[in-house]
Amino acid sequence: MADKNRGTGSSETMEQIPLMNGRLHHAVAQRLATQVVNGSYPAGHVFPAEVEHAELLGVSRSVLREAFRMLTAKGMVSSRPKAGTRVNERRQWNLLDPDVLSWQIQCGASDDFLRDLFELRMVVEPQAAEMAALRRDQRQLLDMGNALEAMERYTLTNPKGRAADIRFHELLMEATRNEMLQALSNSISTAIASTTTIKHAKKDSPRDPMPEHYALYAQIAEQNPAKARKAMITLIELAHADTQVALRR
């Protein structure tokens, strides 16, 4: 299967790239993962021996080991005694892991990748909206309304507005009262946050997303599952179209 985020890149030491905030092993994992995603380290690539690789990156062996443990847990690499650590085929990755989603989008999401991402949302969220309309309680409804007010006040150009948007969608997933769907909440939130960043990367002001959010909220408030499903479908379709416009810009 073709790599949906194939790009170009080169090996870089940790000194050459500023570290992200957080623990060092997570920063190392992120750097290695982005090089896997962009094709610098293709499937089947075998990393250097631990001592050599740690020295190359300028980190300790324990940090490198923890970084590879992270990537192993996400299915991106695997290790075997005497065979070393190798990059797995894309089909083995945990594609719904929030970090894996985020790393792929950071490397430049292709049209195919975005199509798959929005198809995932279309499979999960309309059903979640329908269930939320039937099962939400007053506290969740109030919190959803507060999230939308904050989203409108700050707008999606502001971190507080984007956080409010994510909060609204998390509350909707919570209102389904379905643990399996709630387990997908982090992945859905990462998808929303990442595509929102794409839409607002340019100075041009994208379309106002508040009308479809309020329309969805209204149907959940009225406990109308069929109309809540339809409103969510409209929201996702418009978000996909906005993302495509942003990428063309």
Side-chain angles (χ1 to χ4, degrees):
M1 175 170 144
D3 188 340
K4 293 188 177 182
N5 279 302
R6 186 78 179 197
T8 59
S10 59
S11 299
E12 298 178 86
T13 67
M14 295 306 294
E15 291 85 0
Q16 290 173 303
I17 312 176
L19 295 180
M20 62 179 284
N21 293 330
R23 302 183 67 174
L24 183 56
H25 75 268
H26 196 289
V28 175
Q30 181 187 28
R31 303 314 176 196
L32 294 172
T34 53
Q35 289 174 313
V36 169
V37 170
N38 71 25
S40 296
Y41 298 144
H45 171 84
V46 178
F47 291 97
E50 188 178 272
V51 174
E52 178 187 349
H53 198 183
E55 185 177 346
L56 177 67
L57 294 175
V59 298
S60 69
R61 293 171 63 187
S62 61
V63 165
L64 179 62
R65 204 172 297 129
E66 285 300 314
F68 274 131
R69 282 195 184 117
M70 277 188 65
L71 299 185
T72 299
K74 298 174 190 299
M76 298 184 76
V77 304
S78 56
S79 301
R80 287 186 299 175
K82 299 183 180 180
T85 300
R86 126 184 356 252
V87 177
N88 288 336
E89 296 285 346
R90 183 180 172 83
R91 64 176 178 271
Q92 295 176 265
W93 302 0
N94 182 358
L95 293 173
L96 293 181
D97 180 276
D99 283 332
V100 177
L101 275 174
S102 179
W103 291 332
Q104 291 179 94
I105 292 171
Q106 287 171 24
C107 288
S110 67
D111 288 341
D112 283 349
F113 178 79
L114 287 174
R115 180 204 65 200
D116 288 357
L117 200 59
F118 279 99
E119 284 180 351
L120 169 68
R121 290 190 62 186
M122 194 64 81
V123 167
V124 174
E125 291 184 274
Q127 180 64 38
E130 184 175 317
M131 295 166 69
L134 293 171
R135 299 176 181 177
R136 57 81 179 163
D137 59 31
Q138 283 303 116
R139 190 272 305 169
Q140 290 163 337
L141 189 64
L142 177 63
D143 287 349
M144 284 183 199
N146 290 337
L148 289 184
E149 287 178 8
M151 182 179 167
E152 184 169 35
R153 180 166 64 252
Y154 293 109
T155 80
L156 293 179
T157 63
N158 183 289
K160 290 183 179 179
R162 293 194 291 272
D165 182 23
I166 296 302
R167 179 61 179 154
F168 173 79
H169 287 273
E170 288 175 342
L171 284 162
L172 187 148
M173 296 296 281
E174 177 189 309
T176 66
R177 303 189 185 280
N178 182 300
E179 288 185 340
M180 301 302 173
L181 281 175
Q182 289 176 45
L184 294 173
S185 184
N186 284 343
S187 298
I188 296 295
S189 295
T190 300
I192 293 169
S194 300
T195 52
T196 298
T197 298
I198 291 172
K199 287 183 284 187
H200 291 269
K202 304 292 184 183
K203 292 182 179 179
D204 312 39
S205 297
R207 184 188 57 82
D208 179 14
M210 293 309 304
E212 61 266 26
H213 279 78
Y214 277 123
L216 172 59
Y217 173 76
Q219 300 309 323
I220 293 174
E222 292 175 16
Q223 295 187 298
N224 190 320
K227 289 187 177 180
R229 169 184 282 275
K230 185 176 179 180
M232 178 62 88
I233 289 171
T234 299
L235 187 155
I236 296 169
E237 287 175 342
L238 290 173
H240 191 187
D242 290 345
T243 304
Q244 291 174 314
V245 168
L247 286 174
R248 285 197 294 272
R249 290 205 303 269

